[in-house]
Amino acid sequence: MTACTECDFDYVLDLAPKTPTLIRDLADSYTAHLLTTDAPALRLRPAEHVWAPLEYACHVRDVLFVQRERLLAARRTDTPTAEPMGRDERVDHDGYADQNPADVARQLKDAAALFAGALDRLPPSDWHRTLIYTYPEPAERSLRWLALHTVHELHHHLADIRGQLERPHP
């Protein structure tokens, strides 16, 4: 994957060392929405199979935690497999729509700080370490790619949230 056709995110691998700052900044944007939007609007799904803003925020929080574990595994082990995180199952299993937006905001910021901190500590040689990333199909990916893919997740879903919150509600 080199670019996302939906959100125009471009995977420029040379930008990977800047991803910790991008992740922290994007987490701040999520926090702003979670803390300034009424909870009913955050829980409203625009369509049956489209997540609500709060559900997207919970997903991003969990992505940050999972990506950090994947990064740490790739530093410990040669080319581990990044097992699927069960993204769709987590929505119901963890009750995303019922969570407190302020709690999610704090947790998302913490997850971003932990992941960004792990990226900050990567020596130059480790950016080239790899793992098998299974989505959308199994492929060997570098930690540079993993960092950028995580930024893409945050960027993409922030656009989803903004699009939903900017729509007039009945």
Side-chain angles (χ1 to χ4, degrees):
M1 178 182 293
T2 59
C4 177
T5 57
E6 292 178 35
C7 72
D8 295 326
F9 184 85
D10 195 6
Y11 282 70
V12 179
L13 294 180
D14 290 342
L15 296 179
K18 296 181 183 195
T19 57
T21 299
L22 296 171
I23 288 166
R24 289 180 183 104
D25 290 347
L26 286 162
D28 288 342
S29 296
Y30 277 88
T31 298
H33 286 296
L34 289 167
L35 296 178
T36 62
T37 306
D38 291 335
L42 290 171
R43 297 178 201 287
L44 183 64
R45 282 188 169 197
E48 183 180 349
H49 297 290
V50 178
W51 291 346
L54 181 58
E55 292 170 319
Y56 277 121
C58 290
H59 167 69
V60 166
R61 173 204 57 207
D62 290 354
V63 163
L64 288 162
F65 282 128
V66 168
Q67 296 295 69
R68 178 177 178 260
E69 290 306 313
R70 290 170 173 170
L71 178 138
L72 295 173
R75 292 193 70 195
R76 288 190 309 271
T77 309
D78 290 334
T79 318
T81 298
E83 296 298 327
M85 68 179 278
R87 62 171 278 176
D88 294 317
E89 297 84 1
R90 285 174 184 252
V91 177
D92 291 324
H93 292 175
D94 199 26
Y96 281 2
D98 298 324
Q99 294 188 24
N100 180 317
D103 291 344
V104 174
R106 186 188 68 256
Q107 295 160 359
L108 196 149
K109 289 267 296 185
D110 289 346
L114 287 165
F115 184 60
L119 291 169
D120 280 333
R121 286 185 288 287
L122 276 178
S125 60
D126 278 8
W127 282 104
H128 299 289
R129 292 190 64 81
T130 60
L131 69 161
I132 303 299
Y133 208 84
T134 57
Y135 182 85
E137 58 189 44
E140 189 170 333
R141 304 289 190 172
S142 70
L143 291 184
R144 285 179 176 278
W145 182 90
L146 180 78
L148 281 165
H149 184 64
T150 306
V151 171
H152 170 242
E153 282 280 315
L154 273 72
H155 174 81
H156 191 107
H157 293 314
L158 185 59
D160 291 330
I161 288 170
R162 286 178 173 155
Q164 287 182 29
L165 293 177
E166 290 170 4
R167 265 188 227 123
H169 298 288

